[in-house]
Amino acid sequence: MLKTNLRRAIDPRHAKTFDTTELRNEFLIDTLWQDDEVCLTYSQYDRMIVGGATPKSGPLTIDAVDQTGTPSWLDRREAVLVSLGTSGTVEAGGETYEMGRCDMLYLGMGTGAVTLSGSDDAHFYIISAPAHREIAARLVTIDDAAQVPLGDRDTSNERVIYQFVHPAVMESCQIVMGMTKLGTGSVWNTMPAHYHERRSEAYLYLDLEEGQNIVHLMGEPDETRHLIVRNEQAVLSPPWSIHSGAGTSSYAFIWAMAGDNVDYTDVDMVAMEDLR
């Protein structure tokens, strides 16, 4: 019912030597969705957990996770759960939360066991990171999220950023999380590119039609690499790496960050002419 794998931190000098298979093994997460299982990846980048849960035949409960070293996984952690099916239900901390598609539920340190269930297509994306104090749970619907329009159709990056777990909406210990939707005819995300040495990030691409791909750019600005990513697959982004991409059709992606601060604008920008 619960599977966890470990991803160790990779030095950029080592990453430069990787072939395609090695890059995918270290940075792509393509095993999120298994019927009636919780599939977690425990990353050494800011101790972030990236996972998926698919309660196909009945409820799934997340409690003890060996890699956290605590009796219950949220004893010293916070988490955000995203419903990606038509509807989903989360029971946590003595409360029941009904979630629509792309709603995000924040759960604070000390929540205890979490039980997931829902409609036939119910599945949940999971992000967790260490926490230093208790913060009350909060369900943030897509209508509650702060919306920030960015980009331009002329540069193929017209998009809307939805800020869910973000200082503009609510407080957290270190997770900052939201979703970006590309406008019709736009393909580029996060370009011009940036990186942030003080935080790690994870991307989950979604709403990508069958047979379409994302070309996700990663690596140091002067030593870029790429991953071919498909619908509802995730990418780990180390602090030293850019995280950008283009799709062969319209798409959205969920971004999640953890690290020293919750300042969304704390980034190191990369000039277009400096990319290699």
Side-chain angles (χ1 to χ4, degrees):
M1 190 176 80
L2 175 66
K3 293 181 178 178
T4 309
N5 69 81
L6 171 68
R7 297 284 180 97
R8 291 190 166 89
I10 303 297
D11 184 275
R13 293 168 296 182
H14 188 193
K16 289 179 183 181
T17 69
F18 286 175
D19 63 18
T20 298
T21 298
E22 290 169 317
L23 282 173
R24 293 176 70 85
N25 286 342
E26 296 295 340
F27 300 107
L28 180 68
I29 305 175
D30 57 1
T31 56
L32 288 169
W33 317 114
Q34 303 292 328
D35 287 353
D36 301 313
E37 290 185 356
V38 178
C39 301
L40 304 179
T41 294
Y42 183 96
S43 168
Q44 290 184 339
Y45 299 118
D46 289 297
R47 302 291 165 176
M48 186 185 294
I49 290 176
V50 180
T54 311
K56 188 71 172 178
S57 303
L60 290 173
T61 297
I62 311 173
D63 195 3
V65 175
D66 288 345
Q67 284 74 8
T68 66
T70 54
S72 188
W73 71 307
L74 297 182
D75 285 349
R76 298 185 63 188
R77 286 181 161 265
E78 60 186 355
V80 179
L81 279 64
V82 187
S83 175
L84 294 180
T86 305
S87 62
T89 301
V90 177
E91 298 176 50
E95 301 289 338
T96 300
Y97 303 90
E98 300 294 338
M99 302 176 65
R101 190 172 190 277
C102 291
D103 292 347
M104 298 194 187
L105 174 63
Y106 173 86
L107 298 175
M109 185 178 77
T111 294
V114 178
T115 299
L116 311 172
S117 59
S119 56
D120 288 344
D121 65 346
H123 55 300
F124 298 84
Y125 182 53
I126 301 164
I127 292 288
S128 176
H132 61 276
R133 64 186 177 95
E134 294 183 8
I135 296 175
R138 179 171 173 181
L139 174 61
V140 183
T141 70
I142 193 167
D143 292 331
D144 296 330
Q147 297 185 26
V148 182
L150 283 178
D152 191 276
R153 187 172 299 180
D154 289 343
T155 49
S156 302
N157 68 348
E158 187 177 37
R159 61 201 188 276
V160 177
I161 296 176
Y162 294 81
Q163 299 168 337
F164 287 77
V165 182
H166 184 282
V169 179
M170 61 165 289
E171 64 175 343
S172 66
C173 288
Q174 65 165 313
I175 293 176
V176 179
M177 192 160 170
M179 178 174 64
T180 299
K181 286 190 173 185
L182 277 292
T184 302
S186 288
V187 296
W188 280 105
N189 76 74
T190 324
M191 183 64 74
H194 66 257
Y195 61 97
H196 23 72
E197 289 284 5
R198 288 162 292 281
R199 292 179 294 182
S200 303
E201 190 157 353
Y203 268 32
L204 177 79
Y205 287 100
L206 68 158
D207 293 345
L208 194 66
E209 297 176 1
E210 187 175 355
Q212 304 299 315
N213 295 323
I214 297 289
V215 180
H216 179 88
L217 300 180
M218 62 163 295
E220 293 179 289
D222 62 349
E223 192 77 33
T224 59
R225 298 291 187 270
H226 74 272
L227 297 168
I228 300 298
V229 185
R230 296 180 172 83
N231 190 51
E232 296 192 358
Q233 294 181 346
V235 178
L236 292 174
S237 183
W240 47 264
S241 176
I242 66 168
H243 33 278
S244 180
T248 58
S249 69
S250 61
Y251 65 96
F253 65 97
I254 294 171
W255 41 269
M257 293 178 281
D260 267 340
N261 61 53
V262 293
D263 181 1
Y264 182 76
T265 62
D266 180 14
V267 300
D268 296 296
M269 296 300 300
V270 180
M272 296 288 276
E273 59 268 24
D274 292 338
L275 287 173
R276 297 288 186 271

